[in-house]
Amino acid sequence: MVEEIVKVAKRAGEAMLEFYNDDVEVMQKDDDSPLTKADLAAHHIIVEALAEIDPDTPVISEESGIPEYEDRKNWESFWIVDPLDGTKEFIKKNGEFTVNIALIDQGTPVLGVVYVPDKQTTYYATKEEGAFKQLADEKPERIYSKLSDGKSELTAVQSRSHGSNSLIKELEEKGLTVTKTVPAGSSIKFCLVAEGEADIYPRMGPTMEWDVAAGDCVYRYSAREGAHPSPLTYNKPDLKNTGFLIGVEGDFKF
């Protein structure tokens, strides 16, 4: 099934790029976050495709609202989608925006696709097969990341829009030594850890489950054996995450 989902993500990405080089018309959602026609175009492509591919599994998309917890608390599995992750990066035209599609089973991501339209780069993972990176239509390559023990010097990936020096100071207070930071947008941050370009991804501020599910899946199954542990959980009553840290052993919380 992952091959089909990759194709869907690429179709959604192509639709985004039709708007990318024009003047971007920005609307505001109820929470004041930006929304563009590209978000909506990608949303419709993905939701309609998932309804054909897997009609019996419910879908949560950032652009379709959140079903009541009473309606979804007993879901065994569901798709969770961020049609355009990194809308601010899309508006800034820096290329660091993604399509995120993930399948959650029993509260854990088991399939995830992150597509970077401007770079024609796909990251994807499944619980059974591990994590992969594909450049354009080249052969996918297996990617691996190591879990740091937290005692060595670390490279941290930081949000291009939300990075801060206070985050690095807080990591130092927790005994972690960060000697280099790599800025990135959207779920690309998870993927940089998954392919070994960075050691850790710390995030102090809140995120929603659709922001992280696909990237978290790629990270989890970039382990050489089994899966990396992740502090992220899914199908919570409000779908909101607190701060988290991936890439290092131990239970670090913000």
Side-chain angles (χ1 to χ4, degrees):
M1 182 185 289
V2 69
E3 292 84 2
E4 292 180 272
I5 304 304
V6 167
K7 290 178 182 178
V8 172
K10 289 182 176 181
R11 281 174 48 208
E14 289 168 3
M16 286 181 195
L17 292 178
E18 293 180 9
F19 299 93
Y20 189 52
N21 293 319
D22 299 331
D23 291 334
V24 179
E25 180 183 348
V26 182
M27 299 164 274
Q28 298 298 126
K29 294 190 283 189
D30 292 341
D31 63 357
D32 288 333
S33 60
L35 175 70
T36 71
K37 291 180 179 179
D39 294 77
L40 296 175
H43 161 77
H44 289 299
I45 288 170
I46 295 167
V47 170
E48 290 170 11
L50 290 176
E52 293 183 4
I53 294 168
D54 189 14
D56 297 326
T57 303
V59 179
I60 297 176
S61 169
E62 179 180 11
E63 309 310 340
S64 61
I66 304 173
E68 294 294 331
Y69 185 59
E70 286 298 312
D71 296 332
R72 58 183 168 82
K73 65 181 181 180
N74 295 319
W75 287 358
E76 292 188 2
S77 62
F78 64 98
W79 294 96
I80 189 160
V81 176
D82 192 345
L84 198 171
D85 182 31
T87 302
K88 291 179 181 179
E89 315 308 332
F90 182 87
I91 294 167
K92 294 174 185 175
K93 300 184 184 296
N94 65 18
E96 294 185 345
F97 55 93
T98 59
V99 179
N100 294 348
I101 307 173
L103 178 64
I104 308 298
D105 184 66
Q106 303 294 332
T108 301
V110 294
L111 182 156
V113 175
V114 174
Y115 180 56
V116 191
D118 191 55
K119 313 297 183 187
Q120 293 189 30
T121 299
T122 310
Y123 297 89
Y124 66 89
T126 66
K127 183 177 180 180
E128 296 78 16
E129 298 179 1
F132 295 81
K133 178 180 181 179
Q134 182 183 31
L135 301 177
D137 293 323
E138 295 179 11
K139 182 180 178 180
E141 299 288 339
R142 183 81 161 85
I143 56 174
Y144 299 97
S145 63
K146 60 180 176 62
L147 194 63
S148 172
D149 59 10
K151 298 177 182 178
S152 56
E153 296 181 344
L154 302 169
T155 296
V157 62
Q158 275 195 285
S159 170
R160 192 173 291 279
S161 297
H162 304 287
S164 67
N165 291 329
S166 62
L167 174 58
I168 303 305
K169 290 180 180 178
E170 184 156 350
L171 291 172
E172 290 175 349
E173 290 173 1
K174 295 178 182 294
L176 302 176
T177 303
V178 175
T179 56
K180 181 180 178 181
T181 59
V182 179
S186 67
S187 55
I188 293 171
K189 297 183 286 294
F190 283 98
C191 300
L192 291 176
V193 177
E195 63 179 326
E197 293 296 318
D199 299 303
I200 59 173
Y201 169 27
R203 176 66 184 249
M204 289 180 69
T207 56
M208 299 299 291
E209 291 183 18
W210 50 67
D211 295 318
V212 301
D216 181 30
C217 185
V218 173
Y219 163 70
R220 287 185 194 227
Y221 304 119
S222 64
R224 289 192 175 273
E225 295 182 5
H228 289 317
S230 171
L232 294 162
T233 58
Y234 298 88
N235 206 19
K236 297 184 292 296
D238 64 357
L239 302 188
K240 186 175 288 187
N241 307 305
T242 56
F244 61 84
L245 173 65
I246 64 161
V248 66
E249 295 175 0
D251 186 18
F252 293 92
K253 296 181 179 179
F254 296 106

